Amino acid sequence: LLSAAGVAYAVARRLNHRRGYERPFDLKNMVELKGKVVEVSNSQETKDEKHGVYLILATKKAEIPVHLGPLWYVTRQPYHFKEGDEIKVKGSKVTFKDTEIIVASEIQKEKMQMILRDDNGIPTWQSWRKVS
């Protein structure tokens, strides 16, 4: 009985882990930007599953926060971004916590490409979902 409860807890924790990172995404507000990374940081949420990775992209017009995805997912990718990288970002321009941000769906650096969301805006870290 205890092992069944342990398994149930582990499964629930894993599912919550995948769902905890929430950022708005609007397919009607897709943009593509080029610029230089001036900062890479983690969000300040108090629960591990909500921690995210974002970067500040300096374009010709402004500096804008670009949210990539949950920390646990982004840190496991084969490529990472650092200050000074020239990148191209495709994503949704939205308001999050009273700030205009880009929620990235794809980032390119030279020949490297990191896909974070599919064409419908579904995060790649959500490996399971109902198929229509």
Side-chain angles (χ1 to χ4, degrees), residues 40-91:
V40 179
S41 192
N42 300 331
S43 61
Q44 301 301 311
E45 282 85 6
T46 56
K47 293 188 177 189
D48 286 344
E49 64 269 8
K50 294 186 179 220
H51 279 276
V53 175
Y54 71 93
L55 54 85
I56 304 296
L57 183 68
T59 67
K60 290 181 180 180
K61 294 182 179 182
E63 289 187 356
I64 187 161
V66 177
H67 289 239
L68 307 183
L71 179 67
W72 64 266
Y73 181 78
V74 174
T75 57
R76 288 176 173 82
Q77 299 308 301
Y79 306 107
H80 299 97
F81 303 100
K82 62 185 182 310
E83 192 175 310
D85 285 347
E86 294 282 342
I87 62 172
K88 179 179 172 184
V89 175
K90 179 180 176 185

Side-chain angles (χ1 to χ4, degrees), residues 27-42:
L27 287 171
K28 295 176 189 164
N29 289 322
M30 295 297 288
V31 296
E32 288 189 25
L33 302 171
K34 289 182 181 180
K36 184 182 281 191
V37 176
V38 294
E39 179 184 339
V40 179
S41 192
N42 300 331

